[in-house]
Each structure stands twice: as structure tokens, then as C-alpha cells.
Coordinates of all heavy atoms in Angstrom, one line a residue:
E1 N 46.3 -23.7 82.7 CA 45.0 -24.3 82.8 C 43.9 -23.4 82.4 O 42.7 -23.8 82.2 CB 44.8 -24.8 84.2 CG 45.8 -25.9 84.7 CD 45.5 -27.3 84.2 OE1 44.4 -27.5 83.8 OE2 46.5 -28.1 84.1
S2 N 44.2 -22.1 82.3 CA 43.1 -21.1 82.0 C 43.7 -19.9 81.3 O 44.9 -19.7 81.4 CB 42.5 -20.6 83.3 OG 43.4 -19.9 84.1
P3 N 42.8 -19.2 80.6 CA 43.3 -17.9 80.0 C 43.9 -17.0 81.1 O 44.9 -16.3 80.8 CB 42.0 -17.3 79.4 CG 41.2 -18.5 79.0 CD 41.4 -19.5 80.2
Y4 N 43.3 -16.9 82.3 CA 43.9 -16.1 83.3 C 45.4 -16.5 83.6 O 46.3 -15.6 83.6 CB 43.1 -16.2 84.6 CG 43.9 -15.8 85.8 CD1 44.2 -14.4 86.0 CD2 44.5 -16.7 86.7 CE1 45.0 -14.0 87.1 CE2 45.2 -16.2 87.8 CZ 45.5 -14.9 88.0 OH 46.3 -14.5 89.0
G5 N 45.6 -17.8 83.8 CA 47.0 -18.3 84.1 C 47.9 -18.0 82.9 O 49.1 -17.6 83.1
N6 N 47.3 -18.1 81.7 CA 48.1 -17.8 80.5 C 48.5 -16.3 80.4 O 49.6 -16.0 80.0 CB 47.4 -18.2 79.2 CG 48.3 -18.5 78.1 OD1 49.5 -18.9 78.3 ND2 47.8 -18.3 76.9
T7 N 47.7 -15.4 80.8 CA 48.0 -14.0 80.8 C 49.2 -13.8 81.7 O 50.1 -12.9 81.4 CB 46.9 -13.1 81.2 OG1 46.5 -13.3 82.6 CG2 45.7 -13.2 80.3
K8 N 49.3 -14.5 82.9 CA 50.4 -14.3 83.8 C 51.7 -14.8 83.1 O 52.8 -14.1 83.2 CB 50.2 -15.0 85.1 CG 49.1 -14.4 85.9 CD 49.4 -12.9 86.3 CE 48.3 -12.3 87.2 NZ 48.5 -10.9 87.5
R9 N 51.7 -15.9 82.4 CA 52.8 -16.4 81.7 C 53.3 -15.4 80.6 O 54.4 -15.1 80.5 CB 52.5 -17.7 81.0 CG 52.5 -19.0 81.9 CD 51.9 -20.1 81.1 NE 52.5 -20.3 79.7 CZ 53.5 -21.1 79.4 NH1 54.0 -21.9 80.3 NH2 53.9 -21.2 78.2
I10 N 52.3 -14.9 79.8 CA 52.6 -14.0 78.7 C 53.2 -12.7 79.3 O 54.1 -12.2 78.8 CB 51.3 -13.7 77.9 CG1 50.9 -15.0 77.1 CG2 51.5 -12.6 76.9 CD1 49.5 -14.9 76.6
C11 N 52.6 -12.2 80.4 CA 53.0 -10.9 80.9 C 54.5 -11.1 81.5 O 55.3 -10.2 81.3 CB 52.1 -10.5 82.1 SG 50.6 -9.8 81.5
E12 N 54.8 -12.2 82.1 CA 56.2 -12.5 82.5 C 57.1 -12.4 81.3 O 58.2 -11.8 81.4 CB 56.3 -13.8 83.2 CG 55.8 -13.8 84.7 CD 56.2 -15.1 85.4 OE1 57.0 -15.9 84.8 OE2 55.8 -15.3 86.6
D13 N 56.7 -13.0 80.2 CA 57.5 -13.0 79.0 C 57.7 -11.6 78.4 O 58.8 -11.3 78.0 CB 56.9 -14.0 77.9 CG 57.0 -15.4 78.3 OD1 57.8 -15.8 79.3 OD2 56.2 -16.3 77.8
I14 N 56.6 -10.9 78.4 CA 56.7 -9.5 77.9 C 57.7 -8.7 78.8 O 58.5 -7.9 78.3 CB 55.3 -8.8 78.0 CG1 54.4 -9.4 76.9 CG2 55.4 -7.3 77.8 CD1 53.0 -9.0 77.0
I15 N 57.6 -8.9 80.1 CA 58.6 -8.1 81.0 C 60.0 -8.6 80.7 O 60.9 -7.8 80.6 CB 58.2 -8.4 82.5 CG1 56.8 -7.8 82.8 CG2 59.3 -7.8 83.4 CD1 56.2 -8.2 84.1
R16 N 60.2 -9.9 80.7 CA 61.6 -10.4 80.4 C 62.2 -9.9 79.1 O 63.3 -9.4 79.1 CB 61.5 -12.0 80.4 CG 62.9 -12.6 80.2 CD 62.8 -14.1 80.2 NE 62.4 -14.7 81.5 CZ 61.2 -15.2 81.8 NH1 60.2 -15.2 80.9 NH2 61.0 -15.7 83.0
D17 N 61.4 -9.9 78.1 CA 61.8 -9.4 76.8 C 62.1 -7.9 76.8 O 63.1 -7.4 76.2 CB 60.8 -9.8 75.7 CG 60.7 -11.3 75.4 OD1 61.7 -12.0 75.8 OD2 59.7 -11.7 74.8
S18 N 61.2 -7.2 77.5 CA 61.4 -5.7 77.5 C 62.6 -5.3 78.3 O 63.4 -4.4 77.9 CB 60.1 -5.1 78.2 OG 59.0 -5.4 77.4
V19 N 62.8 -6.0 79.4 CA 64.0 -5.7 80.3 C 65.3 -6.0 79.5 O 66.2 -5.2 79.5 CB 64.0 -6.6 81.5 CG1 65.3 -6.6 82.2 CG2 62.9 -6.0 82.5
K20 N 65.3 -7.1 78.7 CA 66.5 -7.4 77.9 C 66.7 -6.5 76.8 O 67.8 -6.1 76.5 CB 66.2 -8.9 77.4 CG 67.4 -9.4 76.6 CD 67.1 -10.9 76.2 CE 68.3 -11.4 75.4 NZ 68.0 -12.8 74.9
A21 N 65.6 -6.0 76.2 CA 65.8 -5.2 75.0 C 66.1 -3.7 75.3 O 66.9 -3.1 74.6 CB 64.5 -5.2 74.1
Y22 N 65.5 -3.2 76.3 CA 65.6 -1.8 76.6 C 66.7 -1.4 77.6 O 67.1 -0.2 77.6 CB 64.2 -1.2 77.0 CG 63.1 -1.5 76.0 CD1 61.9 -2.1 76.4 CD2 63.3 -1.3 74.6 CE1 61.0 -2.4 75.5 CE2 62.4 -1.6 73.7 CZ 61.2 -2.2 74.1 OH 60.2 -2.5 73.2
G23 N 67.0 -2.2 78.5 CA 68.1 -2.0 79.4 C 67.8 -0.9 80.5 O 68.6 -0.8 81.4
S24 N 66.7 -0.2 80.4 CA 66.5 0.9 81.3 C 65.5 0.5 82.4 O 65.2 1.3 83.3 CB 65.9 2.1 80.6 OG 64.7 1.8 79.9
I25 N 65.0 -0.8 82.4 CA 64.0 -1.2 83.3 C 64.5 -2.4 84.1 O 65.1 -3.3 83.5 CB 62.7 -1.6 82.5 CG1 62.1 -0.4 81.8 CG2 61.7 -2.3 83.5 CD1 61.0 -0.8 80.8
N26 N 64.2 -2.4 85.4 CA 64.4 -3.5 86.3 C 63.1 -4.0 86.7 O 62.2 -3.2 86.9 CB 65.2 -3.2 87.5 CG 66.6 -2.7 87.2 OD1 67.3 -3.3 86.4 ND2 67.0 -1.6 87.8
A27 N 62.9 -5.3 86.8 CA 61.6 -5.9 87.2 C 61.8 -7.1 88.1 O 62.7 -7.9 87.9 CB 60.8 -6.2 86.0
I28 N 60.9 -7.2 89.0 CA 60.8 -8.4 89.9 C 59.4 -8.9 89.8 O 58.4 -8.2 90.0 CB 61.1 -8.1 91.4 CG1 62.6 -7.8 91.5 CG2 60.8 -9.3 92.2 CD1 63.0 -7.4 92.9
A29 N 59.2 -10.2 89.4 CA 57.9 -10.9 89.4 C 57.8 -11.7 90.7 O 58.6 -12.5 91.0 CB 57.8 -11.7 88.2
L30 N 56.7 -11.5 91.4 CA 56.4 -12.3 92.6 C 55.3 -13.3 92.2 O 54.2 -12.9 91.9 CB 55.9 -11.3 93.7 CG 56.9 -10.3 94.2 CD1 56.4 -9.5 95.4 CD2 58.3 -10.9 94.6
R31 N 55.7 -14.5 92.3 CA 54.7 -15.6 92.0 C 54.0 -16.0 93.3 O 54.5 -16.7 94.2 CB 55.4 -16.8 91.4 CG 55.9 -16.5 90.0 CD 56.7 -17.7 89.4 NE 57.1 -17.4 88.1 CZ 58.1 -18.0 87.4 NH1 58.7 -19.0 88.0 NH2 58.4 -17.7 86.2
Y32 N 52.7 -15.4 93.5 CA 52.0 -15.7 94.7 C 51.4 -17.1 94.7 O 51.0 -17.6 93.7 CB 50.8 -14.8 94.8 CG 50.9 -13.3 94.5 CD1 49.9 -12.6 94.1 CD2 52.2 -12.7 94.7 CE1 50.0 -11.2 93.9 CE2 52.3 -11.3 94.5 CZ 51.2 -10.6 94.0 OH 51.3 -9.3 93.8
F33 N 51.3 -17.6 95.9 CA 50.5 -18.8 96.1 C 49.1 -18.4 96.5 O 48.5 -17.6 95.8 CB 51.3 -19.8 97.0 CG 52.4 -20.5 96.2 CD1 53.5 -19.7 95.8 CD2 52.3 -21.8 95.8 CE1 54.5 -20.3 95.0 CE2 53.3 -22.4 95.0 CZ 54.4 -21.7 94.6
N34 N 48.5 -18.8 97.6 CA 47.1 -18.5 97.8 C 46.9 -17.6 99.0 O 47.0 -18.0 100.2 CB 46.4 -19.8 98.1 CG 46.2 -20.7 96.9 OD1 47.2 -21.2 96.4 ND2 45.0 -20.9 96.5
P35 N 46.7 -16.3 98.7 CA 46.6 -15.3 99.8 C 45.2 -15.4 100.5 O 44.2 -15.5 99.8 CB 46.7 -13.9 99.1 CG 46.4 -14.2 97.6 CD 46.8 -15.6 97.4
I36 N 45.3 -15.3 101.8 CA 44.0 -15.4 102.6 C 44.2 -14.4 103.8 O 45.3 -14.0 104.1 CB 43.7 -16.8 103.1 CG1 44.8 -17.4 104.0 CG2 43.4 -17.7 102.0 CD1 44.5 -18.7 104.7
G37 N 43.1 -14.2 104.5 CA 43.1 -13.3 105.7 C 42.8 -11.9 105.4 O 42.4 -11.5 104.3

């Protein structure tokens, strides 16, 4: 819905492709909902 949201999609894709290509990196993406407090 926004460029911000799109950067998160793109960054996830960059991580996924990098992990697959290079083999030396492990990554976990945490998809947050709405942090408060």
C-alpha cells in the first residue's frame, strides 16, 4: 500500500535470494504486527 511496505517486501526478497545464492548466511525475518507500550 506504500513505498515503506514495498521496501519490506523487496528486502525480504533480497535476503531470500542472497541466502540461496551464497550459502554462508542464515536469516530470520520477523513480521511484526503493531508494537505498543
